[in-house]
Amino acid sequence: MASGVKPRVKVPKSASAGDVITIKTLISHPMESGQRKDSSGNTIQRSIIWRFTCDFNDQNVIDVVLAPAISTNPYFEFEAQVPESGEFKFTWYDDDGDVYDTSKKISV
Amino acid sequence: AMTLLPAHAFAQAAADAEMVGTPDEFLAGASASEGGLDLTAPEIAENGNTVPISVDAPGAVEVRVYALGNPTPGVATFRFGPLSGAQFASTRIRLAGTQDVQAIAKMADGSYVTAMKTVKVTIGGCGG
Amino acid sequence: GKWARLAAQQSLTQDQLLQFDTFGNVSLIHVTDIHAQLKPIYFREPSVNIGVGPNRGEVPHVTGADFRKLYGIDDGAPSHYALSSGDFSSLAKAYGRVGGMDRVATVVNAIRADRPDALLLDGGDTWHGSMTCYKTAGQDMVNVMNALKPDAMTFHWEFTLGSDRVAELVEGLPYAALGQNIFDAEWDEPAELFKPYQFFERGGVKIAVIGQAFPYMPIANPRWMFPEYSFGIRDENMQAMVDEVRAQGAELVVCLSHNGFDVDKKMASRVTGIDVILTGHTHDALPEPVLIGDTILIASGSNGKFVSRVDLDVRNGQMLGFRHKLIPIFSDVIAPDPEMAALIDEQRAPFAEELAEVIGQTDTLLYRRGNFNGSWDDLICDALISEREADIAMSPGVRWGPSLIPGDPITREDIWNVTSMTYGEAYRSEMTGEFIKVILEDVADNIFNPDPYYQQGGDMVRIGGMGYRIDLRAPAGERISDMTLLRTGEPIDPARNYVVAGWASVNEGTEGPQIWDVVENHIARLGTVSLDPNNSVEVVGA
Ligand SMILES: [Mn+2]
Ligand SMILES: [Mn+2]
């Protein structure tokens, strides 16, 4: 299980109705492929975030499938429409079953 | 009889089902044309373990990214929802060595467009 | 020598070197790649500087007699000595040393006397390259440059002081620290410490200077020393910055660049709206600007050897014309500025004894510049092989480092001038023949890739103890062949391990004695350096 997983997001605090805003997200996570061996030759256990989603007021903005080729501390930048005031919800799915999430309010 | 899998096995199964796969699997026999998809990547990676790339494909419903020289080529699948502001996304990827990175976008009408970029991963050193 | 000292110098006066018919309404003064050379030095320009792809046969890839023919320079003329290779040792004896920041100060002051509001721009690689710079972590150069009062600078080797020291020095700079391509690595946003551009109002003209730091810093130099930053060429952002400054009323857009010449040529063809690119990094010295579309490229050499003056006529937001001069700093002809001379002596005083100690002397011209091997690097490789008991030596293909002429003493300062860096540990490790080839192929592609954006600048890694053949027209991975262990004459076995000694590894935690100590021990043991010509690299496809 990944430890010390910490999501961070950058969302503007406010926007005008209908604006397109840029969102950036980072989550501290090893993204260990399960293919590598440690110095004593033992396989390092797989630990991968395999999906990331961003929704705004329950409508989807982006839905990403991550392969182990995504770097340590996965980073995403994308653009979202803001039709009204509300809340962005960000969710990361670890393939050990853990789900990490965070949210950010924005006012129009 | 039914066996209850532990939660992480479900997650692992879901992850495996959502494999990014290969370009051939995504295209499923269709061909992809050039133009309409911008793939941005550095000519020389500052660090092969974290190479910034971005895709921009106006009108796409889904964009997949492949590192053709990695042991497993699939890197990511981006699906754009109703509130996406643009069919644009940026992330950081691992490249096992100098290779071509390919992006393929599936457009709303079911057609495909593609773009390719060579990224050099170098040992480094020297300079002027 | 062939060129009598008196005859040579008779034709050369300070007034002549500075002569310039002031033109238009704006003057730019450009210095770059000083590499901490405060005092006059010798500096031999390359005889081998091969261009590939679209740059085959184009300047700056023209050397020696071809260069002189191209620019109409007579054999033996001051410009022959300053700008090209050939007959270097005898011309050096006739014309003397070049550079010295006190002479540079005289030239800058003279230009300012003509045009008091001239912009002085420093292209970077300033806080690196000498013992005093190393021991003061760049402070000596900061003090000297502050006295010269530049208006802006950009960066490369400065970052090898480590990001904390860079921040400390940059925060105290009384002038702009620029780099539109210096980004925060975590969030991919412009780094707060470095501004993309700075506006100046000169001669009634609104001028924007946009900085472009060395794009490949974390590759060419150890990224663990500045992990907070990401660089890259970022020509889309450069275009955005040009558009932004134009929208804010810039009438003249100057790019202060450390891209290297061929990369700047390509950037000039992709980014529109830049009037002048002051190039750096590849250490080229060109007597005339190169025009790419509407952009002029200026190349001002290295090691304090040249100052460029560019006068521009800018009317109604348009550059209507220019006049340019690459001023060679002949140190016996240009009088030192006394204030700067005193300031330089003050920086050096704490280290004066150490610097001056004579370690040996040389019967051979010692130089570095050139795509394949310089005699300084041959000497360094010999030192690595003998002092570190290695089969093969590797020395980085950097372009800094002054020359010494036959008969010169070799002081400790001279050794530091060609070796000083913050990661100078001389490693010793075992590598397979196959891996050695991988390294050579990797470096070769960073220099000879036909697309300049895939080049890092610099020259081929120098090899001691081994010969090889390189085919410049072959694709990546297939350029190197016929690797031979010189000691035995046997082909390099891909599967066998060889003991390799080298220095300037970009890997964190590299261990070994400092390279300047290794070289000093070797020279002290030799007493007098006398090197045979190095013919161990066969180049085809040039
Ligand atoms: Mn330099
Ligand atoms: Mn440089």
Side-chain angles (χ1 to χ4, degrees):
Chain A
M1 188 176 133
S3 61
V5 177
K6 188 172 149 250
R8 285 179 294 162
V9 298
K10 282 196 168 190
V11 179
K13 286 196 169 52
S14 64
S16 303
D19 270 4
V20 170
I21 59 163
T22 298
I23 292 175
K24 293 182 177 188
T25 70
L26 266 173
I27 187 163
S28 47
H29 191 283
M31 289 297 282
E32 191 57 61
S33 68
Q35 308 290 315
R36 295 197 312 146
K37 290 189 166 43
D38 64 18
S39 50
S40 31
N42 303 313
T43 299
I44 304 171
Q45 202 192 332
R46 179 183 159 109
S47 174
I48 290 289
I49 288 175
W50 67 276
R51 184 181 180 206
F52 164 73
T53 61
C54 169
D55 300 285
F56 181 72
N57 291 354
D58 296 327
Q59 280 211 78
N60 182 251
V61 175
I62 196 167
D63 189 337
V64 186
V65 178
L66 293 72
I70 294 291
S71 306
T72 303
N73 305 334
Y75 167 86
F76 292 107
E77 179 183 338
F78 49 93
E79 294 183 0
Q81 297 173 47
V82 188
E84 70 225 355
S85 290
E87 191 173 65
F88 281 102
K89 188 174 186 208
F90 305 91
T91 314
W92 292 262
Y93 299 84
D94 197 316
D95 68 6
D96 67 6
D98 281 345
V99 175
Y100 320 103
D101 61 47
T102 187
S103 48
K104 270 276 167 25
K105 287 195 170 68
I106 186 167
S107 51
V108 168
Chain B
M2 211 175 79
T3 316
L4 268 181
L5 292 166
H8 79 86
F10 280 118
Q12 175 90 52
D16 290 346
E18 279 283 7
M19 293 265 288
V20 182
T22 66
D24 284 349
E25 284 164 4
F26 185 39
L27 290 169
S31 61
S33 56
E34 281 179 39
L37 167 62
D38 269 350
L39 168 65
T40 309
E43 281 80 7
I44 309 179
E46 291 187 351
N47 177 353
N49 288 322
T50 172
V51 182
I53 60 120
S54 59
V55 292
D56 190 1
V61 291
E62 179 175 338
V63 178
R64 295 195 185 193
V65 176
Y66 304 95
L68 301 180
N70 277 1
T72 308
V75 173
T77 300
F78 299 95
R79 295 193 179 98
F80 300 101
L83 285 188
S84 65
Q87 288 70 55
F88 162 86
S90 183
T91 188
R92 293 169 188 157
I93 71 175
R94 292 176 172 140
L95 297 178
T98 297
Q99 58 181 283
D100 290 330
V101 174
Q102 184 179 15
I104 304 175
K106 186 176 187 180
M107 310 308 281
D109 66 2
S111 66
Y112 294 90
V113 293
T114 185
M116 190 105 79
K117 175 106 192 237
T118 304
V119 178
K120 190 155 90 174
V121 177
T122 152
I123 299 167
C126 302
Chain C
K2 189 168 155 193
W3 313 98
R5 187 179 182 86
L6 194 66
Q9 292 191 345
Q10 260 175 356
S11 60
L12 211 53
T13 66
Q14 177 167 323
D15 286 347
Q16 243 176 347
L17 289 174
L18 292 173
Q19 199 283 322
F20 197 104
D21 291 327
T22 302
F23 174 80
N25 46 2
V26 171
S27 294
L28 307 176
I29 310 169
H30 183 224
V31 291
T32 192
D33 294 273
I34 294 167
H35 286 284
Q37 295 305 311
L38 293 172
K39 295 295 246 183
I41 47 143
Y42 296 110
F43 193 92
R44 176 193 177 276
E45 298 298 328
S47 51
V48 180
N49 184 11
I50 299 163
V52 288
N55 292 308
R56 184 180 300 275
E58 300 288 319
V59 293
H61 305 285
V62 180
T63 60
D66 294 337
F67 181 95
R68 294 192 288 281
K69 193 174 167 212
L70 180 67
Y71 289 107
I73 297 166
D74 292 335
D75 281 359
S79 292
H80 170 175
Y81 171 59
L83 292 164
S84 69
S85 56
D87 229 349
F88 183 80
S89 297
S90 58
L91 287 168
K93 286 186 178 110
Y95 285 108
R97 290 183 166 81
V98 293
M101 291 308 290
D102 46 5
R103 276 79 166 177
V104 168
T106 297
V107 172
V108 168
N109 291 340
I111 298 170
R112 283 175 172 153
D114 281 356
R115 179 97 76 192
D117 65 354
L119 275 182
L120 173 59
L121 302 168
D122 173 10
D125 278 356
T126 310
W127 311 340
H128 157 267
S130 71
M131 182 204 274
T132 55
C133 187
Y134 178 90
K135 297 213 167 179
T136 64
Q139 193 65 53
D140 65 331
M141 290 308 295
V142 170
N143 295 345
V144 165
M145 292 307 287
N146 284 359
L148 205 59
K149 295 188 171 57
D151 294 285
M153 81 177 284
T154 192
F155 304 89
H156 170 192
W157 276 87
E158 286 74 12
F159 276 86
T160 64
L161 294 170
S163 34
D164 288 349
R165 179 61 173 160
V166 169
E168 187 182 358
L169 291 175
V170 166
E171 277 159 12
L173 282 189
Y175 47 90
L178 303 179
Q180 69 86 21
N181 59 335
I182 309 178
F183 273 55
D184 156 61
E186 190 168 50
W187 289 104
D188 195 39
E189 285 167 5
E192 279 173 26
L193 191 59
F194 303 90
K195 293 202 293 178
Y197 55 80
Q198 174 83 29
F199 275 103
F200 300 92
E201 188 95 32
R202 299 292 159 99
V205 176
K206 193 168 181 184
I207 305 165
V209 177
I210 305 176
Q212 173 79 353
F214 178 50
Y216 294 127
M217 205 105 59
I219 305 160
N221 304 95
R223 67 170 176 261
W224 59 269
M225 292 182 164
F226 40 89
E228 299 88 343
Y229 297 106
S230 168
F231 301 84
I233 299 169
R234 297 180 192 259
D235 48 17
E236 284 160 26
N237 196 58
M238 176 63 82
Q239 184 67 67
M241 293 301 104
V242 173
D243 295 346
E244 191 172 307
V245 297
R246 289 282 183 195
Q248 288 174 46
E251 297 171 276
L252 179 74
V253 177
V254 176
C255 175
L256 179 62
S257 172
H258 204 94
N259 270 340
F261 198 84
D262 292 348
V263 177
D264 274 324
K265 270 178 79 176
K266 182 167 173 181
M267 190 176 80
S269 73
R270 289 161 64 98
V271 175
T272 57
I274 301 174
D275 296 302
V276 182
I277 301 181
L278 303 170
T279 73
H281 180 62
T282 39
H283 293 197
D284 314 294
L286 297 178
E288 291 169 16
V290 169
L291 196 65
I292 304 292
D294 294 327
T295 306
I296 61 169
L297 273 63
I298 308 293
S300 307
S302 70
N303 288 263
K305 190 177 170 184
F306 299 96
V307 172
S308 283
R309 174 176 178 180
V310 189
D311 279 20
L312 302 149
D313 189 21
V314 184
R315 312 272 161 190
N316 306 318
Q318 275 221 295
M319 187 176 97
L320 299 179
F322 60 85
R323 191 169 287 165
H324 161 269
K325 187 173 185 178
L326 178 72
I327 303 166
I329 310 297
F330 285 91
S331 66
D332 293 346
V333 177
I334 294 171
D337 175 76
E339 276 174 47
M340 187 60 94
L343 180 64
I344 289 169
D345 287 345
E346 192 186 315
Q347 309 307 310
R348 292 166 54 87
F351 314 100
E353 248 175 72
E354 264 183 286
L355 288 164
E357 192 174 327
V358 174
I359 309 301
Q361 67 156 25
T362 184
D363 284 350
T364 305
L365 168 67
L366 296 178
Y367 66 94
R368 174 172 277 154
R369 282 283 274 119
N371 283 151
F372 294 97
N373 38 42
S375 48
W376 254 127
D377 293 308
D378 292 340
L379 179 59
I380 290 169
C381 285
D382 287 352
L384 283 163
I385 288 174
S386 72
E387 298 291 314
R388 302 288 281 149
E389 294 172 353
D391 301 316
I392 292 166
M394 291 188 182
S395 189
V398 296
R399 292 188 165 193
W400 41 269
S403 313
L404 293 179
I405 58 175
D408 273 356
I410 304 172
T411 65
R412 183 170 293 124
E413 173 167 28
D414 296 325
I415 295 170
W416 278 73
N417 278 347
V418 292
T419 55
S420 175
M421 60 164 62
T422 55
Y423 51 104
E425 289 82 4
Y427 62 84
R428 180 180 191 276
S429 66
E430 293 208 345
M431 294 181 192
T432 62
E434 187 183 8
F435 187 65
I436 294 168
K437 180 171 189 294
V438 166
I439 292 175
L440 293 184
E441 292 282 5
D442 188 74
V443 181
D445 195 61
N446 287 335
I447 298 155
F448 300 114
N449 191 298
D451 183 340
Y453 277 20
Y454 288 92
Q455 299 171 5
Q456 285 174 30
D459 288 311
M460 192 64 188
V461 58
R462 279 55 166 132
I463 303 291
M466 194 192 87
Y468 64 93
R469 179 179 192 268
I470 179 167
D471 181 353
L472 301 181
R473 297 197 190 216
E478 296 172 27
R479 294 187 180 98
I480 308 293
S481 62
D482 298 351
M483 290 162 54
T484 308
L485 190 67
L486 296 178
R487 178 160 44 78
T488 61
E490 285 168 12
I492 296 287
D493 178 351
R496 211 198 109 185
N497 270 325
Y498 297 88
V499 175
V500 177
W503 61 292
S505 167
V506 295
N507 298 326
E508 189 168 9
T510 300
E511 289 176 5
Q514 293 290 0
I515 185 66
W516 43 87
D517 291 330
V518 174
V519 175
E520 179 173 321
N521 290 343
H522 180 67
I523 294 174
R525 203 183 312 276
L526 292 177
T528 298
V529 171
S530 181
L531 298 171
D532 294 328
N534 181 349
N535 301 312
S536 63
V537 181
E538 185 195 349
V539 182
V540 295

